[in-house]
Amino acid sequence: AQSVTQPDIHITVSEGASLELRCNYSYGATPYLFWYVQSPGQGLQLLLKYFSGDTLVQGIKGFEAEFKRSQSSFNLRKPSVHWSDAAEYFCAVGLSGNTGKLIFGQGTTLQVKP
Amino acid sequence: EPEVTQTPSHQVTQMGQEVILRCVPISNHLYFYWYRQILGQKVEFLVSFYNNEISEKSEIFDDQFSVERPDGSNFTLKIRSTKLEDSAMYFCASSGKDIPLYGYTFGSGTRLTVV
């Protein structure tokens, strides 16, 4: 069955430090991959997505992610974290086919220390 | 930029009552979805809807749930007899084009509280 794993439930980084959030997926076909961010009580904002082509994807707010097929991973990175990046981050896999269903990981809560 | 609009943003209902959550998808989109997120948990797929019928539903989407596109612009989720465990944030999403994963857009959600 398809699944998405975000191994880190909670991460704390200092402002200005680099960030990497891990995401692993299990899916037999070529996946469509997404990262969303959710601030407390808010909706889901798309950070970036990978469908095909260059495996390093640039997103909004200075985020990037790299698709590694051999590792079934799609890790999110940011070189220098800002206090406003504190939020919950969700990785999701989109299943090919007609329905367009997304499967989400459990999420990683990012806390930023001043 | 086009948006998916959900109303109300917050709804409180008594257990056993029927509730209808409303969504206005992006106007030229063809695929419609409902997801839910129980507080502190991950976002879960409920149902997808295309060409005026359900194309896929999860095991969560039992007989208490139904969806409808009543007038070509709204997309609704009805819960017939709400339970305490239905308390969650409900997200509507829509997508267009030939491949449903393209242009996927979420609404800002409706927080449903069942008391």
Side-chain angles (χ1 to χ4, degrees):
Chain A
Q2 306 90 358
S3 66
V4 179
T5 301
Q6 293 180 245
D8 305 304
I9 296 172
H10 193 275
I11 281 184
T12 301
V13 300
S14 297
E15 190 169 16
S18 64
L19 171 69
E20 183 169 32
L21 302 182
R22 296 184 289 164
C23 173
N24 293 97
Y25 65 89
S26 173
Y27 182 51
T30 299
Y32 299 85
L33 297 160
F34 302 78
W35 274 101
Y36 286 90
V37 61
Q38 184 182 37
S39 297
Q42 302 299 309
L44 298 166
Q45 182 180 24
L46 178 67
L47 284 175
L48 47 78
K49 59 190 176 188
Y50 171 79
F51 286 170
S52 64
D54 192 345
T55 56
L56 185 62
V57 181
Q58 301 298 319
I60 62 171
K61 303 185 179 188
F63 285 93
E64 67 178 26
E66 186 170 13
F67 170 55
K68 293 185 178 179
R69 185 186 301 275
S70 61
Q71 297 177 19
S72 298
S73 69
F74 188 57
N75 294 347
L76 182 72
R77 300 194 293 249
K78 186 169 184 177
S80 177
V81 168
H82 188 261
W83 64 266
S84 61
D85 293 324
E88 182 119 26
Y89 292 79
F90 291 96
C91 179
V93 168
L95 309 187
S96 58
N98 292 334
T99 68
K101 168 182 170 181
L102 292 182
I103 296 178
F104 284 81
Q106 290 283 1
T108 298
T109 301
L110 173 64
Q111 184 178 358
V112 181
K113 293 190 302 186
Chain B
E1 189 172 329
E3 291 184 342
V4 174
T5 304
Q6 289 187 245
T7 55
S9 57
H10 191 186
Q11 179 149 0
V12 181
T13 189
Q14 289 204 321
M15 190 170 54
Q17 294 296 304
E18 175 183 285
V19 66
I20 297 176
L21 308 183
R22 303 181 190 280
C23 169
V24 179
I26 294 173
S27 62
N28 61 349
H29 278 188
L30 304 175
Y31 302 87
F32 312 107
Y33 309 88
W34 283 101
Y35 290 79
R36 80 169 185 193
Q37 183 185 30
I38 295 172
L39 187 63
Q41 299 187 23
K42 68 178 178 180
V43 179
E44 301 173 289
F45 170 81
L46 289 178
V47 66
S48 59
F49 191 86
Y50 171 72
N51 200 25
N52 282 320
E53 61 182 22
I54 290 173
S55 48
E56 185 174 356
K57 60 183 180 179
S58 73
E59 61 271 15
I60 302 168
F61 194 88
D62 61 21
D63 292 344
Q64 292 298 310
F65 291 89
S66 62
V67 289
E68 196 176 30
R69 189 155 159 78
D71 55 12
S73 62
N74 290 282
F75 180 52
T76 62
L77 174 69
K78 183 193 291 186
I79 308 175
R80 282 187 240 292
S81 177
T82 49
K83 305 175 194 141
L84 294 176
E85 54 264 38
D86 293 326
S87 295
M89 181 78 96
Y90 288 81
F91 292 106
C92 173
S94 71
S95 66
K97 305 188 181 181
D98 297 331
I99 299 176
L101 290 171
Y102 282 51
Y104 220 102
T105 304
F106 280 91
S108 55
T110 293
R111 180 165 297 286
L112 176 66
T113 303
V114 183
V115 297

mmCIF file of all heavy atoms in Angstrom, chain A residues 70-111:
data_model
loop_
_atom_site.group_PDB
_atom_site.id
_atom_site.type_symbol
_atom_site.label_atom_id
_atom_site.label_comp_id
_atom_site.label_asym_id
_atom_site.label_seq_id
_atom_site.Cartn_x
_atom_site.Cartn_y
_atom_site.Cartn_z
ATOM 1 N N SER A 70 16.317 6.427 -5.825
ATOM 2 C CA SER A 70 16.989 5.249 -5.244
ATOM 3 C C SER A 70 16.722 5.142 -3.742
ATOM 4 O O SER A 70 16.764 4.045 -3.178
ATOM 5 C CB SER A 70 18.487 5.325 -5.499
ATOM 6 O OG SER A 70 19.037 6.481 -4.886
ATOM 7 N N GLN A 71 16.440 6.266 -3.116
ATOM 8 C CA GLN A 71 16.187 6.269 -1.670
ATOM 9 C C GLN A 71 14.711 6.462 -1.355
ATOM 10 O O GLN A 71 14.335 6.535 -0.175
ATOM 11 C CB GLN A 71 17.009 7.383 -1.003
ATOM 12 C CG GLN A 71 18.512 7.192 -1.146
ATOM 13 C CD GLN A 71 19.306 8.340 -0.552
ATOM 14 O OE1 GLN A 71 18.807 9.114 0.255
ATOM 15 N NE2 GLN A 71 20.574 8.457 -0.949
ATOM 16 N N SER A 72 13.890 6.587 -2.382
ATOM 17 C CA SER A 72 12.452 6.862 -2.183
ATOM 18 C C SER A 72 12.264 8.032 -1.228
ATOM 19 O O SER A 72 11.465 7.967 -0.272
ATOM 20 C CB SER A 72 11.733 5.620 -1.637
ATOM 21 O OG SER A 72 11.810 4.554 -2.562
ATOM 22 N N SER A 73 13.012 9.083 -1.498
ATOM 23 C CA SER A 73 12.946 10.230 -0.586
ATOM 24 C C SER A 73 12.678 11.523 -1.339
ATOM 25 O O SER A 73 12.943 11.645 -2.542
ATOM 26 C CB SER A 73 14.254 10.353 0.199
ATOM 27 O OG SER A 73 15.319 10.738 -0.650
ATOM 28 N N PHE A 74 12.173 12.470 -0.600
ATOM 29 C CA PHE A 74 11.884 13.810 -1.141
ATOM 30 C C PHE A 74 12.047 14.770 0.020
ATOM 31 O O PHE A 74 11.095 15.254 0.607
ATOM 32 C CB PHE A 74 10.467 13.840 -1.724
ATOM 33 C CG PHE A 74 10.129 15.108 -2.475
ATOM 34 C CD1 PHE A 74 10.903 15.538 -3.547
ATOM 35 C CD2 PHE A 74 9.007 15.859 -2.138
ATOM 36 C CE1 PHE A 74 10.580 16.691 -4.255
ATOM 37 C CE2 PHE A 74 8.671 17.012 -2.842
ATOM 38 C CZ PHE A 74 9.460 17.430 -3.897
ATOM 39 N N ASN A 75 13.301 15.052 0.370
ATOM 40 C CA ASN A 75 13.594 15.856 1.550
ATOM 41 C C ASN A 75 13.517 17.342 1.239
ATOM 42 O O ASN A 75 13.963 17.799 0.181
ATOM 43 C CB ASN A 75 14.972 15.505 2.094
ATOM 44 C CG ASN A 75 15.025 14.088 2.634
ATOM 45 O OD1 ASN A 75 14.002 13.435 2.829
ATOM 46 N ND2 ASN A 75 16.234 13.604 2.866
ATOM 47 N N LEU A 76 13.007 18.062 2.187
ATOM 48 C CA LEU A 76 12.836 19.517 2.062
ATOM 49 C C LEU A 76 13.995 20.208 2.756
ATOM 50 O O LEU A 76 14.364 19.835 3.882
ATOM 51 C CB LEU A 76 11.507 19.929 2.711
ATOM 52 C CG LEU A 76 11.130 21.407 2.642
ATOM 53 C CD1 LEU A 76 10.736 21.788 1.213
ATOM 54 C CD2 LEU A 76 9.983 21.702 3.599
ATOM 55 N N ARG A 77 14.512 21.246 2.113
ATOM 56 C CA ARG A 77 15.667 21.950 2.695
ATOM 57 C C ARG A 77 15.476 23.458 2.602
ATOM 58 O O ARG A 77 14.757 23.969 1.724
ATOM 59 C CB ARG A 77 16.960 21.572 1.956
ATOM 60 C CG ARG A 77 17.289 20.093 2.008
ATOM 61 C CD ARG A 77 18.705 19.840 1.573
ATOM 62 N NE ARG A 77 18.911 20.152 0.151
ATOM 63 C CZ ARG A 77 19.146 19.244 -0.788
ATOM 64 N NH1 ARG A 77 19.162 17.957 -0.466
ATOM 65 N NH2 ARG A 77 19.354 19.605 -2.029
ATOM 66 N N LYS A 78 16.153 24.123 3.527
ATOM 67 C CA LYS A 78 16.239 25.583 3.467
ATOM 68 C C LYS A 78 17.570 25.975 4.065
ATOM 69 O O LYS A 78 17.929 25.512 5.150
ATOM 70 C CB LYS A 78 15.084 26.252 4.217
ATOM 71 C CG LYS A 78 15.066 27.768 4.047
ATOM 72 C CD LYS A 78 13.794 28.388 4.568
ATOM 73 C CE LYS A 78 13.786 29.890 4.274
ATOM 74 N NZ LYS A 78 12.534 30.554 4.705
ATOM 75 N N PRO A 79 18.349 26.805 3.389
ATOM 76 C CA PRO A 79 19.698 27.112 3.868
ATOM 77 C C PRO A 79 19.723 27.940 5.146
ATOM 78 O O PRO A 79 20.632 27.796 5.961
ATOM 79 C CB PRO A 79 20.338 27.883 2.708
ATOM 80 C CG PRO A 79 19.271 28.150 1.714
ATOM 81 C CD PRO A 79 18.063 27.370 2.073
ATOM 82 N N SER A 80 18.733 28.814 5.337
ATOM 83 C CA SER A 80 18.745 29.689 6.500
ATOM 84 C C SER A 80 17.307 29.924 6.953
ATOM 85 O O SER A 80 16.523 30.564 6.256
ATOM 86 C CB SER A 80 19.415 31.022 6.142
ATOM 87 O OG SER A 80 19.375 31.913 7.236
ATOM 88 N N VAL A 81 17.002 29.401 8.118
ATOM 89 C CA VAL A 81 15.617 29.422 8.599
ATOM 90 C C VAL A 81 15.295 30.759 9.264
ATOM 91 O O VAL A 81 16.129 31.335 9.988
ATOM 92 C CB VAL A 81 15.404 28.260 9.595
ATOM 93 C CG1 VAL A 81 14.097 28.417 10.331
ATOM 94 C CG2 VAL A 81 15.438 26.936 8.872
ATOM 95 N N HIS A 82 14.098 31.222 9.033
ATOM 96 C CA HIS A 82 13.599 32.458 9.643
ATOM 97 C C HIS A 82 12.556 32.100 10.691
ATOM 98 O O HIS A 82 11.899 31.064 10.586
ATOM 99 C CB HIS A 82 12.990 33.339 8.534
ATOM 100 C CG HIS A 82 12.599 34.706 8.972
ATOM 101 N ND1 HIS A 82 11.307 35.049 9.301
ATOM 102 C CD2 HIS A 82 13.341 35.831 9.131
ATOM 103 C CE1 HIS A 82 11.256 36.323 9.655
ATOM 104 N NE2 HIS A 82 12.479 36.823 9.552
ATOM 105 N N TRP A 83 12.368 32.973 11.678
ATOM 106 C CA TRP A 83 11.406 32.666 12.741
ATOM 107 C C TRP A 83 10.016 32.404 12.182
ATOM 108 O O TRP A 83 9.246 31.601 12.709
ATOM 109 C CB TRP A 83 11.345 33.810 13.772
ATOM 110 C CG TRP A 83 10.845 35.111 13.233
ATOM 111 C CD1 TRP A 83 11.589 36.136 12.757
ATOM 112 C CD2 TRP A 83 9.482 35.509 13.089
ATOM 113 N NE1 TRP A 83 10.775 37.149 12.329
ATOM 114 C CE2 TRP A 83 9.485 36.806 12.520
ATOM 115 C CE3 TRP A 83 8.243 34.910 13.395
ATOM 116 C CZ2 TRP A 83 8.303 37.504 12.257
ATOM 117 C CZ3 TRP A 83 7.081 35.604 13.132
ATOM 118 C CH2 TRP A 83 7.116 36.878 12.559
ATOM 119 N N SER A 84 9.691 33.053 11.062
ATOM 120 C CA SER A 84 8.360 32.881 10.475
ATOM 121 C C SER A 84 8.165 31.512 9.820
ATOM 122 O O SER A 84 7.048 31.176 9.403
ATOM 123 C CB SER A 84 8.100 33.982 9.449
ATOM 124 O OG SER A 84 9.057 33.914 8.407
ATOM 125 N N ASP A 85 9.219 30.729 9.726
ATOM 126 C CA ASP A 85 9.090 29.383 9.153
ATOM 127 C C ASP A 85 8.526 28.384 10.157
ATOM 128 O O ASP A 85 8.212 27.247 9.777
ATOM 129 C CB ASP A 85 10.453 28.881 8.651
ATOM 130 C CG ASP A 85 10.973 29.678 7.470
ATOM 131 O OD1 ASP A 85 10.146 30.097 6.625
ATOM 132 O OD2 ASP A 85 12.212 29.884 7.382
ATOM 133 N N ALA A 86 8.402 28.768 11.401
ATOM 134 C CA ALA A 86 7.844 27.869 12.399
ATOM 135 C C ALA A 86 6.419 27.500 12.002
ATOM 136 O O ALA A 86 5.558 28.378 11.832
ATOM 137 C CB ALA A 86 7.851 28.527 13.775
ATOM 138 N N ALA A 87 6.175 26.210 11.828
ATOM 139 C CA ALA A 87 4.883 25.734 11.322
ATOM 140 C C ALA A 87 4.928 24.214 11.275
ATOM 141 O O ALA A 87 5.911 23.588 11.672
ATOM 142 C CB ALA A 87 4.611 26.288 9.919
ATOM 143 N N GLU A 88 3.868 23.631 10.746
ATOM 144 C CA GLU A 88 3.841 22.192 10.499
ATOM 145 C C GLU A 88 4.035 21.960 9.011
ATOM 146 O O GLU A 88 3.443 22.652 8.181
ATOM 147 C CB GLU A 88 2.506 21.594 10.937
ATOM 148 C CG GLU A 88 2.402 20.098 10.759
ATOM 149 C CD GLU A 88 2.186 19.365 12.069
ATOM 150 O OE1 GLU A 88 1.647 19.992 12.988
ATOM 151 O OE2 GLU A 88 2.561 18.189 12.171
ATOM 152 N N TYR A 89 4.856 20.989 8.689
ATOM 153 C CA TYR A 89 5.195 20.697 7.299
ATOM 154 C C TYR A 89 4.740 19.283 6.953
ATOM 155 O O TYR A 89 5.036 18.328 7.669
ATOM 156 C CB TYR A 89 6.697 20.843 7.070
ATOM 157 C CG TYR A 89 7.150 22.274 7.174
ATOM 158 C CD1 TYR A 89 7.350 22.881 8.415
ATOM 159 C CD2 TYR A 89 7.336 23.047 6.028
ATOM 160 C CE1 TYR A 89 7.729 24.207 8.508
ATOM 161 C CE2 TYR A 89 7.720 24.369 6.120
ATOM 162 C CZ TYR A 89 7.909 24.945 7.355
ATOM 163 O OH TYR A 89 8.281 26.265 7.450
ATOM 164 N N PHE A 90 4.029 19.182 5.843
ATOM 165 C CA PHE A 90 3.503 17.899 5.396
ATOM 166 C C PHE A 90 4.063 17.545 4.029
ATOM 167 O O PHE A 90 3.999 18.344 3.100
ATOM 168 C CB PHE A 90 1.973 17.936 5.305
ATOM 169 C CG PHE A 90 1.270 18.031 6.624
ATOM 170 C CD1 PHE A 90 0.856 19.258 7.111
ATOM 171 C CD2 PHE A 90 1.024 16.892 7.373
ATOM 172 C CE1 PHE A 90 0.206 19.355 8.327
ATOM 173 C CE2 PHE A 90 0.372 16.977 8.596
ATOM 174 C CZ PHE A 90 -0.041 18.214 9.071
ATOM 175 N N CYS A 91 4.552 16.332 3.935
ATOM 176 C CA CYS A 91 4.929 15.754 2.654
ATOM 177 C C CYS A 91 3.743 14.940 2.145
ATOM 178 O O CYS A 91 3.016 14.329 2.947
ATOM 179 C CB CYS A 91 6.152 14.855 2.859
ATOM 180 S SG CYS A 91 6.764 14.032 1.391
ATOM 181 N N ALA A 92 3.527 14.939 0.856
ATOM 182 C CA ALA A 92 2.400 14.185 0.295
ATOM 183 C C ALA A 92 2.793 13.550 -1.020
ATOM 184 O O ALA A 92 3.607 14.094 -1.776
ATOM 185 C CB ALA A 92 1.180 15.090 0.094
ATOM 186 N N VAL A 93 2.204 12.405 -1.265
ATOM 187 C CA VAL A 93 2.372 11.701 -2.526
ATOM 188 C C VAL A 93 1.064 11.719 -3.286
ATOM 189 O O VAL A 93 0.003 11.422 -2.715
ATOM 190 C CB VAL A 93 2.794 10.239 -2.279
ATOM 191 C CG1 VAL A 93 2.685 9.433 -3.563
ATOM 192 C CG2 VAL A 93 4.189 10.163 -1.735
ATOM 193 N N GLY A 94 1.134 12.088 -4.534
ATOM 194 C CA GLY A 94 -0.035 12.038 -5.387
ATOM 195 C C GLY A 94 0.020 10.776 -6.215
ATOM 196 O O GLY A 94 1.049 10.449 -6.802
ATOM 197 N N LEU A 95 -1.085 10.052 -6.243
ATOM 198 C CA LEU A 95 -1.119 8.797 -6.966
ATOM 199 C C LEU A 95 -1.530 9.049 -8.411
ATOM 200 O O LEU A 95 -2.489 9.783 -8.663
ATOM 201 C CB LEU A 95 -2.103 7.833 -6.311
ATOM 202 C CG LEU A 95 -1.909 7.635 -4.800
ATOM 203 C CD1 LEU A 95 -2.828 6.530 -4.301
ATOM 204 C CD2 LEU A 95 -0.467 7.296 -4.485
ATOM 205 N N SER A 96 -0.825 8.446 -9.325
ATOM 206 C CA SER A 96 -1.188 8.596 -10.721
ATOM 207 C C SER A 96 -2.502 7.865 -10.975
ATOM 208 O O SER A 96 -2.916 7.024 -10.203
ATOM 209 C CB SER A 96 -0.088 8.046 -11.623
ATOM 210 O OG SER A 96 0.153 6.693 -11.326
ATOM 211 N N GLY A 97 -3.160 8.206 -12.030
ATOM 212 C CA GLY A 97 -4.478 7.628 -12.263
ATOM 213 C C GLY A 97 -5.520 8.724 -12.254
ATOM 214 O O GLY A 97 -5.223 9.897 -12.174
ATOM 215 N N ASN A 98 -6.749 8.316 -12.307
ATOM 216 C CA ASN A 98 -7.786 9.301 -12.535
ATOM 217 C C ASN A 98 -8.242 10.078 -11.316
ATOM 218 O O ASN A 98 -8.826 11.137 -11.461
ATOM 219 C CB ASN A 98 -9.008 8.609 -13.140
ATOM 220 C CG ASN A 98 -8.726 8.129 -14.534
ATOM 221 O OD1 ASN A 98 -7.866 8.684 -15.205
ATOM 222 N ND2 ASN A 98 -9.422 7.098 -14.963
ATOM 223 N N THR A 99 -8.019 9.571 -10.119
ATOM 224 C CA THR A 99 -8.673 10.218 -8.997
ATOM 225 C C THR A 99 -7.894 11.387 -8.418
ATOM 226 O O THR A 99 -8.480 12.270 -7.820
ATOM 227 C CB THR A 99 -8.963 9.219 -7.868
ATOM 228 O OG1 THR A 99 -7.725 8.798 -7.297
ATOM 229 C CG2 THR A 99 -9.733 8.018 -8.385
ATOM 230 N N GLY A 100 -6.588 11.398 -8.560
ATOM 231 C CA GLY A 100 -5.803 12.495 -8.011
ATOM 232 C C GLY A 100 -5.729 12.524 -6.505
ATOM 233 O O GLY A 100 -5.514 13.579 -5.904
ATOM 234 N N LYS A 101 -5.893 11.404 -5.873
ATOM 235 C CA LYS A 101 -5.845 11.334 -4.409
ATOM 236 C C LYS A 101 -4.444 11.642 -3.906
ATOM 237 O O LYS A 101 -3.453 11.203 -4.489
ATOM 238 C CB LYS A 101 -6.264 9.922 -4.019
ATOM 239 C CG LYS A 101 -6.040 9.507 -2.585
ATOM 240 C CD LYS A 101 -6.480 8.050 -2.455
ATOM 241 C CE LYS A 101 -6.100 7.440 -1.141
ATOM 242 N NZ LYS A 101 -6.519 6.024 -1.084
ATOM 243 N N LEU A 102 -4.354 12.387 -2.797
ATOM 244 C CA LEU A 102 -3.086 12.650 -2.134
ATOM 245 C C LEU A 102 -3.016 11.865 -0.838
ATOM 246 O O LEU A 102 -3.994 11.780 -0.098
ATOM 247 C CB LEU A 102 -2.927 14.132 -1.811
ATOM 248 C CG LEU A 102 -2.763 15.120 -2.958
ATOM 249 C CD1 LEU A 102 -2.561 16.529 -2.421
ATOM 250 C CD2 LEU A 102 -1.587 14.741 -3.836
ATOM 251 N N ILE A 103 -1.832 11.303 -0.577
ATOM 252 C CA ILE A 103 -1.577 10.650 0.695
ATOM 253 C C ILE A 103 -0.544 11.479 1.434
ATOM 254 O O ILE A 103 0.541 11.739 0.905
ATOM 255 C CB ILE A 103 -1.076 9.217 0.494
ATOM 256 C CG1 ILE A 103 -2.164 8.384 -0.164
ATOM 257 C CG2 ILE A 103 -0.678 8.598 1.830
ATOM 258 C CD1 ILE A 103 -1.739 6.961 -0.454
ATOM 259 N N PHE A 104 -0.891 11.855 2.667
ATOM 260 C CA PHE A 104 -0.038 12.739 3.445
ATOM 261 C C PHE A 104 0.765 11.959 4.482
ATOM 262 O O PHE A 104 0.322 10.928 5.002
ATOM 263 C CB PHE A 104 -0.887 13.777 4.181
ATOM 264 C CG PHE A 104 -1.399 14.878 3.298
ATOM 265 C CD1 PHE A 104 -2.527 14.696 2.516
ATOM 266 C CD2 PHE A 104 -0.755 16.104 3.244
ATOM 267 C CE1 PHE A 104 -3.006 15.709 1.698
ATOM 268 C CE2 PHE A 104 -1.223 17.133 2.432
ATOM 269 C CZ PHE A 104 -2.349 16.926 1.663
ATOM 270 N N GLY A 105 1.947 12.501 4.795
ATOM 271 C CA GLY A 105 2.690 12.025 5.941
ATOM 272 C C GLY A 105 2.121 12.611 7.221
ATOM 273 O O GLY A 105 1.204 13.437 7.196
ATOM 274 N N GLN A 106 2.701 12.176 8.341
ATOM 275 C CA GLN A 106 2.203 12.592 9.654
ATOM 276 C C GLN A 106 2.525 14.041 9.977
ATOM 277 O O GLN A 106 1.945 14.614 10.886
ATOM 278 C CB GLN A 106 2.796 11.707 10.745
ATOM 279 C CG GLN A 106 2.289 10.293 10.741
ATOM 280 C CD GLN A 106 0.890 10.174 11.340
ATOM 281 O OE1 GLN A 106 0.287 11.162 11.746
ATOM 282 N NE2 GLN A 106 0.351 8.975 11.360
ATOM 283 N N GLY A 107 3.440 14.601 9.260
ATOM 284 C CA GLY A 107 3.803 15.985 9.502
ATOM 285 C C GLY A 107 5.003 16.123 10.420
ATOM 286 O O GLY A 107 5.269 15.265 11.270
ATOM 287 N N THR A 108 5.736 17.208 10.232
ATOM 288 C CA THR A 108 6.855 17.572 11.096
ATOM 289 C C THR A 108 6.616 18.984 11.600
ATOM 290 O O THR A 108 6.402 19.905 10.791
ATOM 291 C CB THR A 108 8.192 17.525 10.344
ATOM 292 O OG1 THR A 108 8.441 16.197 9.900
ATOM 293 C CG2 THR A 108 9.334 17.990 11.247
ATOM 294 N N THR A 109 6.638 19.127 12.912
ATOM 295 C CA THR A 109 6.477 20.457 13.501
ATOM 296 C C THR A 109 7.844 21.106 13.634
ATOM 297 O O THR A 109 8.751 20.527 14.242
ATOM 298 C CB THR A 109 5.818 20.361 14.887
ATOM 299 O OG1 THR A 109 4.542 19.733 14.739
ATOM 300 C CG2 THR A 109 5.636 21.749 15.480
ATOM 301 N N LEU A 110 7.980 22.262 13.060
ATOM 302 C CA LEU A 110 9.246 22.992 13.118
ATOM 303 C C LEU A 110 9.134 24.125 14.128
ATOM 304 O O LEU A 110 8.250 24.978 14.031
ATOM 305 C CB LEU A 110 9.600 23.568 11.750
ATOM 306 C CG LEU A 110 10.829 24.495 11.716
ATOM 307 C CD1 LEU A 110 12.092 23.720 12.080
ATOM 308 C CD2 LEU A 110 10.972 25.169 10.359
ATOM 309 N N GLN A 111 10.046 24.116 15.071
ATOM 310 C CA GLN A 111 10.163 25.210 16.026
ATOM 311 C C GLN A 111 11.465 25.936 15.732
ATOM 312 O O GLN A 111 12.503 25.302 15.484
ATOM 313 C CB GLN A 111 10.173 24.660 17.451
ATOM 314 C CG GLN A 111 10.190 25.721 18.528
ATOM 315 C CD GLN A 111 10.146 25.124 19.935
ATOM 316 O OE1 GLN A 111 10.062 23.914 20.101
ATOM 317 N NE2 GLN A 111 10.186 25.963 20.933
#
